[in-house]
Amino acid sequence: MKITRAIGYAVLLMIAGCQSNHSVVSSSASKQAGDIEWLYWLIFWICLVVFVLVIAFFARASAKSYVGGEQMAPVLPIDEERDRPAKIGISIAVGITIVTLFVILALSVAKGKAVAGLTSNNPITVQVIGHQWWWEFRYPNPQADLTVTTANELHLPVGKPIVVLTASRDVIHSFWLPNIQGKRDLLPGYQSAFSFQVDKPAIYHGQCAEFCGEQHAHMGFEMVAEQPDQFEHWLQQQRKSSSPPQEATAIRGREVFLTHGCVLCHTIRGTDAVSKAGPDLTHLASRRMIAAATLSNAPGSLGGWITDPQRLKPGARMPAHLLDPDDLQALISYLRSLQ
Ligand code: CUA
C-alpha cells in the first residue's frame, strides 16, 4: 500500500514538474538548456540499453546454470577451447564500453563548450547576488542612478544575449533556471560570469541549488522572459523612485514604515529608507510573489509575513513585527501602492 502511494506521489510530482516551467528534461527555452537536455537523453538511452543488456545476460546465465533440488553444483574443469567464445565476447563488450565512454566524454566536452560559449558585443548584464534566503537582481548602468535593484523577480528580454554576474553576501548559493541554463554557484568574495539567451517568452521558476541553510528549499525566484519592448518598459518603470502615496491610509502606512523596524533593513527609493540588508521594496507591488517566491504578493500573505515571518519561513532574517491592527492595515496599503 505504502509503495503504491509512493509511486502515485512520484507520478503526480512528474506531472506537476511537466506543467510548471521548472524542468531540465522538457520544454527547454534556450539553446543552452537544449544542449543540456540533448546530452541528458543521450546518456539516459545509452544507460537504459546497457541496463537491459546486463539484466538479459544475467537472466540467461542464471537460467542456463541453474542447479535444482539436492544436486551439488558441478566443478567445471578448465577448458580453453570451450571458453574461447566467451572470452572473445567479453573482449568485444569491454571494447564497446570503452568506445562508448569516450564518445560520451567527447560529446560532454563539446556540449559543455557550446553551453558556455555564447559571446556577444552587446549583451544585457544582470548581477545576481545570493542572500540567506532571497535573491537580489541588479541591472547595472554606467549612470549610477539608472541602476535598477530588485528582488526575487528577474525580468529578461527574449532573443537577446544575457550575461549574468554572480556574487554572494553570505554562504554559497547556486543559481538555477532548469529550462534555461545549468546551475551556477554564487561564491562569497568571488565574482563569476555566465551567459545564455532565452528563446520563449514565459514565466520560469528558478531555485537555489546549493544547500545554504534552514530555508534553502524556500529560496526560489521567478524569471519573466518577455519581448524586448516590454522588458524596456519594465526597466524604465523600475528606474523610477517610488511615487508618494495619495490616499490617507497609504500616507499613514508610509509613516509606519519609516518609524518602525522596516527602515533598518529595507530601501524604498524616494524615502529616507536606504538600508541594504533586505530586499529593495521600491516597486514591491509590481512583483508577483514575496519571500523568495514562497508566497503570492497578496494583502493577506503580506500581513502574515510582516506579523510572523518565522512561522512562514523559520530562520528567515526578517523579525516579527507586532503592529497595531490599524497600523498593519495602513502599512499593507502603502506597500500595495508601490507599483
Ligand atoms: Cu541559497 Cu540554497
Side-chain angles (χ1 to χ4, degrees), residues 6-151:
I7 292 171
Y9 283 140
V11 170
L12 278 177
L13 276 173
M14 279 162 76
I15 294 168
C18 296
Q19 279 166 354
S20 78
N21 282 311
H22 186 86
S23 172
V24 185
V25 288
S26 66
S27 62
S28 54
S30 72
K31 188 190 163 291
Q32 290 70 34
D35 283 342
I36 294 171
E37 189 183 337
W38 182 86
L39 196 61
Y40 171 84
W41 284 116
L42 177 84
I43 295 174
F44 174 85
W45 289 117
I46 290 176
C47 290
L48 188 71
V49 169
V50 170
F51 176 76
V52 169
L53 286 177
V54 167
I55 294 297
F57 276 103
F58 176 72
R60 182 169 165 269
S62 305
K64 234 173 119 180
S65 52
Y66 175 74
V67 180
E70 300 289 293
Q71 265 180 291
M72 290 284 285
V75 180
L76 295 173
I78 292 170
D79 180 348
E80 292 274 341
E81 204 52 43
R82 192 198 57 207
D83 288 349
R84 185 164 296 140
K87 274 185 183 165
I88 295 170
I90 290 171
S91 307
I92 292 172
V94 168
I96 292 174
T97 304
I98 291 171
V99 170
T100 311
L101 286 174
F102 271 98
V103 167
I104 291 178
L105 178 69
L107 287 170
S108 299
V109 171
K111 285 291 174 192
K113 279 200 157 180
V115 164
L118 178 70
T119 49
S120 158
N121 294 328
N122 198 15
I124 307 271
T125 303
V126 192
Q127 282 177 303
V128 173
I129 301 154
H131 297 256
Q132 280 177 319
W133 289 276
W134 59 280
W135 303 89
E136 183 179 344
F137 299 124
R138 279 196 214 152
Y139 300 75
N141 192 292
Q143 208 180 315
D145 62 337
L146 293 182
T147 291
V148 165
T149 304
T150 183

Side-chain angles (χ1 to χ4, degrees), residues 219-277:
M219 186 169 166
F221 63 96
E222 292 206 308
M223 196 273 271
V224 181
E226 52 203 352
Q227 295 301 338
D229 52 335
Q230 285 172 303
F231 169 73
E232 232 9 84
H233 177 79
W234 174 84
L235 201 61
Q236 294 297 341
Q237 180 64 23
Q238 299 285 315
R239 275 182 186 145
K240 293 178 189 160
S241 290
S242 64
S243 30
Q246 303 300 319
E247 198 217 331
T249 328
I251 293 172
R252 178 172 168 191
R254 184 176 57 178
E255 277 319 296
V256 173
F257 188 91
L258 294 173
T259 52
H260 286 75
C262 321
V263 278
L264 298 176
C265 294
H266 296 286
T267 290
I268 295 182
R269 278 175 284 129
T271 72
D272 292 337
V274 290
S275 181
K276 305 276 185 212

Side-chain angles (χ1 to χ4, degrees), residues 283-332:
H283 297 288
L284 174 68
S286 73
R287 300 178 206 148
R288 288 162 32 93
M289 309 281 279
I290 60 167
T294 310
L295 303 165
S296 66
N297 191 358
S301 33
L302 212 46
W305 180 246
I306 295 166
T307 311
D308 196 359
Q310 297 304 317
R311 181 184 291 255
L312 297 163
K313 272 176 92 165
R317 299 293 182 247
M318 170 123 162
H321 292 87
L322 287 171
L323 299 171
D324 170 81
D326 290 341
D327 283 350
L328 180 64
Q329 286 304 329
L331 179 58
I332 293 170

